[in-house]
């Protein structure tokens, strides 16, 4: 049976993750670290559309989402984290947004901590809530995580780089995850999403996941919260130097496009602006999520400011749809983009052929 000291260590680690994530967003510049500045939308001066004709809804995961973005997984399992989750749940309820909770591993190990996660469902009884576990967990843990919050879907996060950056006594060192992911996705009663935690995905990963029963893939690109940096700060060990490791959100979406993956895509990784959400959708994502930027604004400016930010995102996305002459997601994804030199070089090195929707 886990002892109190072990629980305290787990909770302290979660507290450190939260504090360092806040520090990271406060001190870092993120304007183009996710790669969106290397993409330009081609203007449509005669779009022949009105703003009120735009439909932002998305049908995915057996659900109709009113908006093409949601609140991504952040925290939970300790007092401050549970308070933040409750605030986010209230925001999600008010804004009609889906929301993912942070990793529930701590509550699976210490069941008395599940109450903080359950508060999310209590606050938002009719909302679309995503449970969250790591890929080393089995099917029974997946069921417990879903049941804990009556979740509509499950995120299974994959985080090899973060685990290897963690202290030896904390992080995993064995990563035989694929069969486990497939079993969970094939036998769980709700849709399963595989999500990277901020290092992006290559064509190889998309091809591997294509053969599984997962319902969607969250590309989790570099450019948002850097968990390698967080673990390096925690351990005071910077020998791996992982600052430039991984693919950006944009690069990951391009990798998905040319891997012939048929799995629906969710984009995250440094999302701060409506324009980045729209570019993600044009590149093939069905939904877009944001975590670090929302968390930073919640902690610095409060819930009302975050709600205003999210309302502005919705209005601005509608304006971008209108600029492109697109009434819905299907039409938006016919938009064309111009690639800047960085992405053209990426195309060349990855042996990717330029498609018609790139100019």
């Amino acid at each position: 049976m886990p002892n109190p000291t072990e629980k305290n260590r787990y909770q302290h680690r979660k507290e450190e993750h939260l504090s360092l994530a806040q520090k990271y967003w406060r001190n870092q510049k993120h304007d183009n670290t996710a790669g969106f500045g290397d993409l330009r939308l081609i203007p449509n001066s005669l779009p022949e559309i009105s703003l009120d004709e735009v439909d932002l809804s998305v049908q995915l995961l057996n659900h109709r989402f009113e908006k093409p973005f949601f609140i991504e997984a952040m925290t939970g399992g300790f007092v401050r984290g549970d308070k933040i989750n409750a605030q986010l749940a209230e925001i999600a309820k008010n804004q009609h947004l889906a929301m993912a909770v942070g990793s529930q591993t701590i509550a699976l190990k210490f069941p008395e901590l599940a109450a903080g996660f359950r508060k999310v469902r209590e606050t938002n009884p009719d909302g679309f809530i995503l449970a969250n576990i790591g890929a080393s967990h089995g099917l029974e843990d997946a069921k417990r995580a879903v049941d804990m919050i009556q979740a509509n879907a499950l995120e299974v996060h994959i985080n090899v780089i973060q685990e290897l950056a963690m202290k030896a006594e904390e992080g995993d060192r064995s990563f035989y995850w694929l069969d486990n992911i497939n079993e969970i996705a094939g036998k769980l009663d709700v849709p399963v999403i595989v999500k990277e935690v901020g290092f992006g995905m290559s064509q190889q990963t998309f091809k591997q996941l294509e053969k599984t029963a997962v319902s969607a893939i969250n590309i989790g690109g570099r450019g948002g919260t850097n968990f390698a940096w967080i673990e390096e700060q925690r351990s005071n060990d910077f020998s791996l130097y992982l600052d430039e490791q991984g693919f950006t959100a944009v690069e990951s979406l391009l990798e998905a496009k040319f891997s012939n993956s048929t799995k629906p895509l969710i984009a995250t990784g440094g999302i701060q602006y409506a324009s980045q959400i729209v570019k993600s959708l044009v590149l093939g994502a069905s939904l877009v999520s944001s975590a670090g930027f929302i968390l930073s604004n919640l902690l610095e400016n409060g819930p009302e400011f975050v709600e205003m930010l999210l309302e502005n995102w919705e209005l601005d996305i509608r304006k971008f749809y209108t600029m492109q002459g697109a009434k819905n997601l299907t039409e938006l994804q016919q938009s064309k983009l111009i690639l800047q030199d960085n992405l053209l070089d990426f195309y060349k090195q990855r042996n990717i052929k330029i498609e018609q929707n790139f100019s």
Side-chain angles (χ1 to χ4, degrees), residues 1-11 106 109-113:
M1 185 174 183
N3 60 57
T5 302
E6 187 180 12
K7 182 172 75 172
N8 291 341
R9 283 199 300 266
Y10 268 77
Q11 290 185 306
I106 191 170
K109 193 171 185 66
F110 308 101
E112 66 272 21
L113 301 180

Side-chain angles (χ1 to χ4, degrees), residues 25-317:
W25 275 89
R26 185 186 293 134
N27 296 342
Q28 303 294 317
K29 294 184 182 297
H30 301 269
D31 287 346
N32 192 35
T33 53
F36 291 102
D38 294 324
L39 285 172
R40 293 167 60 197
L41 290 163
I42 294 177
N44 181 351
S45 299
L46 293 169
E48 297 298 304
I49 189 177
S50 66
L51 188 68
D52 59 10
E53 291 180 278
V54 172
D55 176 13
L56 294 183
S57 67
V58 176
Q59 190 70 35
L60 190 69
L61 306 174
N62 304 322
H63 183 78
R64 179 184 176 275
F65 296 90
E66 290 185 25
K67 305 166 189 179
F69 59 91
F70 68 94
I71 299 171
E72 190 52 85
M74 300 185 204
T75 190
F78 61 106
V79 173
R80 188 173 177 225
D82 291 341
K83 179 182 177 182
I84 288 170
N85 271 344
Q87 291 176 313
L88 292 171
E90 185 68 29
I91 291 169
K93 177 183 177 181
N94 295 342
Q95 297 298 317
H96 303 279
L97 292 174
M99 172 190 165
V101 298
S103 174
Q104 292 165 264
T105 297
I106 191 170
L108 295 173
K109 193 171 185 66
F110 308 101
E112 66 272 21
L113 301 180
F117 288 98
R118 285 196 291 267
K119 182 69 175 177
V120 171
R121 175 54 75 192
E122 293 167 5
T123 302
N124 191 4
D126 300 318
F128 192 97
I129 307 296
L130 295 91
N132 185 346
I133 60 172
S136 61
H137 287 277
L139 178 61
E140 291 308 310
D141 277 352
K143 291 178 179 178
R144 288 174 60 203
V146 169
D147 291 344
M148 188 187 301
I149 58 173
Q150 301 171 46
N152 305 90
L154 172 70
E155 283 188 343
V156 177
H157 62 262
I158 52 177
N159 62 335
V160 174
I161 294 174
Q162 180 189 6
E163 294 289 342
L164 290 172
M166 292 173 72
K167 303 170 186 175
E169 65 271 20
E170 292 181 348
D172 290 339
R173 295 297 184 264
S174 180
F175 305 102
Y176 293 97
W177 288 343
L178 201 55
D179 289 343
N180 192 49
I181 289 170
N182 191 40
E183 181 184 22
I184 292 171
K187 296 180 179 179
L188 202 63
D189 291 335
V190 299
V192 172
I193 302 157
V194 170
K195 176 187 178 295
E196 242 293 351
V197 302
F199 303 99
M201 293 186 181
S202 67
Q203 293 181 47
Q204 176 185 345
T205 303
F206 290 113
K207 289 175 181 177
Q208 289 174 292
L209 291 174
E210 180 70 16
K211 299 174 184 177
T212 71
V214 302
S215 297
I217 302 170
N218 188 326
I219 54 95
R222 178 169 60 85
T225 306
N226 187 328
F227 278 96
W229 179 89
I230 286 174
E231 298 302 346
E232 288 171 343
Q233 295 292 317
R234 291 184 61 240
S235 65
N236 199 32
D237 180 358
F238 306 94
S239 59
L240 283 174
Y241 186 72
L242 296 168
D243 287 4
E244 299 176 356
Q245 186 71 23
F247 281 169
T248 66
V250 169
E251 290 166 344
S252 299
L253 288 169
L254 293 175
E255 289 281 301
K257 182 182 286 289
F258 298 103
S259 70
N260 296 316
S261 172
T262 62
K263 302 290 186 184
L265 301 175
I266 300 170
T268 194
I271 300 296
Q272 303 179 67
Y273 307 113
S275 62
Q276 295 172 329
I277 295 173
V278 171
K279 288 177 181 179
S280 297
L281 298 174
V282 172
L283 284 176
S286 297
L287 287 172
V288 180
S289 60
S290 179
F293 181 67
I294 291 175
L295 175 64
S296 175
N297 277 284
L298 178 64
L299 296 177
E300 298 288 338
N301 302 306
E304 290 185 3
F305 183 88
V306 172
E307 293 212 34
M308 180 184 69
L309 183 153
L310 296 172
E311 289 168 2
N312 288 340
W313 273 5
E314 179 186 6
L315 177 57
D316 290 345
I317 292 169

